[in-house]
Amino acid sequence: MTKDDFWEGVRGGFPIMLAASPFGALFGALAVDNGFTIADAVFMSATVYAGASQMVGIELFGNNVQPWLVVLSVFAVNFRHVLYSASIAKYVRHFTFGQKFLAFFLLVDPQYAETEKRGERGLPISFSWYLGFGLIIYIPWIINTLIGAIFGQMIGDPKAIGLDVLLPVYFMGLVMGFRKRDRFLPIVAVSGLASVAGMHFVGSPWHVSIGALAGIVLAACLPPSNQAPAPAAVEKEA
Amino acid sequence: MDPQHLNLIYLIIAAAVATFLTRVGGYILITQMKEIPPRLEAALNAVPAAVLTTLVAPAFVYGGLDVTIAMFVAFAIALGLNLSTLRMLVIGWVVVMVIRHLAM
């Protein structure tokens, strides 16, 4: 554990912390709006620590979706992390078991991107650097959730201040972040149509699983393309 | 604590465990498996766009005219100018507030 490495990590993570802060506060406000207490919102930010999936979770919870489907959706939205941890495996082999545990817990999109970048440049990836980078994002994320939740509780009608439009636009932004991937347009078109049809004919919350399954099955069935897969590092959560 | 609230706590813990599994899963897999079958990889690649689209499309169709317009404007401007998600949120919010203000 070296101090210099730790503070280098903190400095590197600082701008990302600033960029993520509004989303932490937004999560807090929307969580309270969807029936969470302030403590629930903070608890979720501290334990799940994955912004997009937390938004998905509260949206589905607010719509009284079955619990197993909420957990499955959180799992699905976070599935990209499997690729991240596979990809950075070569850089964190020298961590101890406990360090790996903590490192994977903190493995959010920018943490992955920065670790990958550093590793490619041949810079050492010490646990101190990793921890400094991770904590400067993690701790403010929890504090911002608390601030957002406190403000959220003071707001009466979310429609009156336009809160209801934020989640769909936010998710739209996330979808657009994946537009460089293979078969992006057909997947989005099929999932979109299937989810609207599911909403119309079956009803919420089934439209989520129906739409998602349609896009995933399509992707698996299409003939393999020659295009190299887009690097996940260019995608970011917020 | 009432049972319904306790269920929410369990739900959050389950979501946290599921998330953690995705974050260690790749490390465990890569040390076990030589390569991922291409169709499985294509399916995995499609997961985020497919899941997230199902949260966007119904809101666009059934969210009300003001929400539909706001989403469309935010989408068009963000795509044209290559804006960040945060800027896109601001645009969507401004449009919906203007429409609601004018409609009052």
Side-chain angles (χ1 to χ4, degrees), chain A residues 135-200:
Chain A
L135 288 183
I136 191 63
I137 306 173
Y138 177 68
I139 293 168
W141 176 255
I142 297 170
I143 296 169
N144 283 311
T145 301
L146 177 66
I147 295 169
I150 291 169
F151 277 101
Q153 209 162 49
M154 298 191 297
I155 298 160
D157 178 15
K159 260 194 143 169
I161 60 158
L163 269 187
D164 58 314
V165 80
L166 293 181
L167 271 183
V169 174
Y170 173 73
F171 290 133
M172 187 162 69
L174 289 182
V175 172
M176 287 166 71
F178 293 104
R179 67 180 179 272
K180 299 263 158 57
R181 280 200 184 181
D182 262 9
R183 293 5 178 309
F184 173 79
L185 284 178
I187 291 164
V188 165
V190 165
S191 286
L193 285 174
S195 66
V196 170
M199 183 87 130
H200 189 83

Side-chain angles (χ1 to χ4, degrees), chain A residues 90-111:
Chain A
K90 53 185 177 288
Y91 301 127
V92 299
R93 284 238 160 106
H94 62 282
F95 288 11
T96 66
F97 182 82
Q99 288 174 342
K100 275 179 197 157
F101 192 91
L102 201 57
F104 288 128
F105 175 76
L106 293 172
L107 187 58
V108 290
D109 304 64
Q111 183 90 42

Side-chain angles (χ1 to χ4, degrees), chain B:
Chain B
M1 204 180 280
D2 68 294
Q4 212 179 348
H5 193 199
L6 202 60
N7 283 341
L8 173 59
I9 302 293
Y10 288 142
L11 181 66
I12 293 172
I13 293 170
V17 171
T19 302
F20 186 72
L21 287 178
T22 67
R23 286 179 175 156
V24 285
Y27 184 81
I28 293 166
L29 281 179
I30 207 80
T31 45
Q32 305 287 321
M33 200 198 288
K34 282 278 167 278
E35 67 180 304
I36 307 169
R39 290 208 188 271
L40 177 63
E41 198 182 354
L44 294 184
N45 251 325
V47 167
V51 173
L52 293 170
T53 300
T54 69
L55 301 177
V56 179
F60 185 78
V61 176
Y62 298 114
L65 190 60
D66 47 2
V67 170
T68 303
I69 294 171
M71 286 176 76
F72 181 77
V73 173
F75 168 76
I77 296 178
L79 189 67
L81 301 178
N82 208 7
L83 296 183
S84 67
T85 305
L86 195 58
R87 297 219 165 108
M88 195 163 134
L89 270 177
V90 173
I91 294 168
W93 179 80
V94 167
V95 172
V96 101
M97 289 308 281
V98 167
I99 295 171
R100 280 177 194 167
H101 193 75
L102 291 177
M104 280 211 305

Side-chain angles (χ1 to χ4, degrees), chain A residues 60-83:
Chain A
L60 295 177
F61 176 80
N63 285 312
N64 294 314
V65 170
Q66 304 88 319
W68 66 269
L69 191 55
V70 177
V71 175
L72 187 70
S73 301
V74 168
F75 184 77
V77 173
N78 285 328
F79 205 84
R80 65 188 186 286
H81 293 121
V82 171
L83 304 172

